[in-house]
Amino acid sequence: MAKIYFFLKSYFGFSKRESRGFVLVVPALIVLYLIPLGYDWLVRKKNEEKYLAYSIKIDSLVMAGWKPYQSNFQNQLIDFKSDTVKKANTYQKPKSPQLNKILFSDADSVVLQIVPGIGQTMAGRVVKYRENMGGLYSKDQLLEVYGMTPEVLEKVFEYFEFVPEIKNKILINQADVNDLAKHPYINYGSAKVIIAFREQHGPYQSADDLLKIKIFNKEWVDRLKPYLEF
């Protein structure tokens, strides 16, 4: 103890009385520090023993056929989750409702505007072209409408059904120049030539007779042929 007192006096400047008090306090502090640690250790050890005993008991009950208790609410929750999973696996996205497809020949300038890319002006051009032609025998004829593109043409027939139909044909052996020139495929000059040839050589018997007129080629005659009536 004398050495401890000397150490405390030399390094800390404690008096003899202060050194005695310090020596008494330090062990008390150590004891106070160790008490909670010891208590925690005892509690943990007891809990481990209880858990081990409980586990052994549960294992023995399970082996004997015992099942843990579930409340009605728990059972309902399990059933609800099971039904939800089943419905999620069997659910199918409903199909989008489809519009009625009507004949393209029956579509007016208002209905045609349902097609993306066709506004009021383009719809008016399409209807006017169709009426002046007297009907269409090919979808591709719409490409002759000013401003029509292949992309928009494709969309038109996603909404409308196309059936080749020519309602108004040209009576080539009775029509005059003005009647012939009304058709988009015949300009006024061509109409005069057709009438003049008819007056000189008599009625046309077929569309191929037009090939006798040297200014007309086969491509133009084949294009016009579906609109001629003899």
Side-chain angles (χ1 to χ4, degrees):
M1 291 299 294
K3 291 181 179 181
I4 294 174
Y5 294 154
F6 178 78
F7 175 80
L8 294 175
K9 182 178 180 182
S10 300
Y11 286 90
F12 297 103
F14 288 175
S15 63
K16 189 173 183 180
R17 183 177 181 181
E18 290 173 339
S19 298
R20 288 178 180 175
F22 181 78
V23 170
L24 293 175
V25 169
V26 169
L29 292 175
I30 294 173
V31 171
L32 291 175
Y33 175 76
L34 292 176
I35 288 175
L37 295 178
Y39 178 77
D40 289 342
W41 180 82
L42 289 174
V43 171
R44 185 167 59 253
K45 186 172 182 61
K46 287 183 179 180
N47 287 339
E48 289 175 354
E49 292 174 353
K50 288 181 180 179
Y51 177 76
L52 180 62
Y54 176 78
S55 298
I56 294 172
K57 183 177 180 181
I58 290 296
D59 290 341
S60 62
L61 289 174
V62 170
M63 292 179 65
W66 175 82
K67 293 182 179 180
Y69 170 76
Q70 290 181 332
S71 66
N72 290 334
F73 174 77
Q74 289 175 316
N75 291 329
Q76 292 174 0
L77 182 61
I78 293 172
D79 292 340
F80 173 77
K81 290 181 178 179
S82 178
D83 291 342
T84 302
V85 171
K86 289 179 180 178
K87 290 179 180 179
N89 293 334
T90 59
Y91 175 76
Q92 293 182 350
K93 183 179 179 179
K95 295 181 179 179
S96 300
Q98 300 295 317
L99 299 174
N100 291 327
K101 262 192 173 184
I102 67 172
L103 289 175
F104 172 73
S105 58
D106 294 335
D108 58 23
S109 59
V110 174
V111 177
L112 281 172
Q113 293 180 54
I114 195 174
V115 180
I118 292 187
Q120 183 177 0
T121 301
M122 176 59 75
R125 289 176 189 165
V126 170
V127 171
K128 184 178 179 180
Y129 172 82
R130 187 184 64 199
E131 291 176 351
N132 290 340
M133 291 291 289
L136 302 178
Y137 59 80
S138 171
K139 297 178 181 180
D140 292 341
Q141 288 180 276
L142 279 183
L143 291 174
E144 298 168 4
V145 178
Y146 177 75
M148 180 62 68
T149 64
E151 292 76 18
V152 175
L153 174 65
E154 185 177 353
K155 291 178 182 177
V156 168
F157 296 106
E158 291 177 4
Y159 289 86
F160 300 99
E161 195 74 34
F162 180 78
V163 175
E165 182 182 21
I166 298 177
K167 298 179 180 179
N168 301 319
K169 290 196 173 186
I170 302 169
L171 297 172
I172 194 170
N173 289 320
Q174 287 84 34
D176 58 21
V177 173
N178 291 328
D179 292 332
L180 291 174
K182 289 178 182 178
H183 197 277
Y185 287 170
I186 305 174
N187 59 35
Y188 191 78
S190 298
K192 290 194 298 181
V193 172
I194 291 172
I195 296 298
F197 187 87
R198 185 183 70 194
E199 291 176 349
Q200 291 180 9
H201 300 279
Y204 294 98
Q205 301 301 315
S206 70
D208 291 338
D209 288 344
L210 290 171
L211 293 174
K212 297 175 182 178
I213 304 172
K214 300 304 180 181
I215 63 172
F216 299 149
N217 57 43
K218 190 175 187 307
E219 182 181 359
W220 180 81
V221 173
D222 288 343
R223 188 184 183 200
L224 181 63
K225 186 185 297 185
Y227 295 99
L228 302 180
E229 186 171 334
F230 301 89

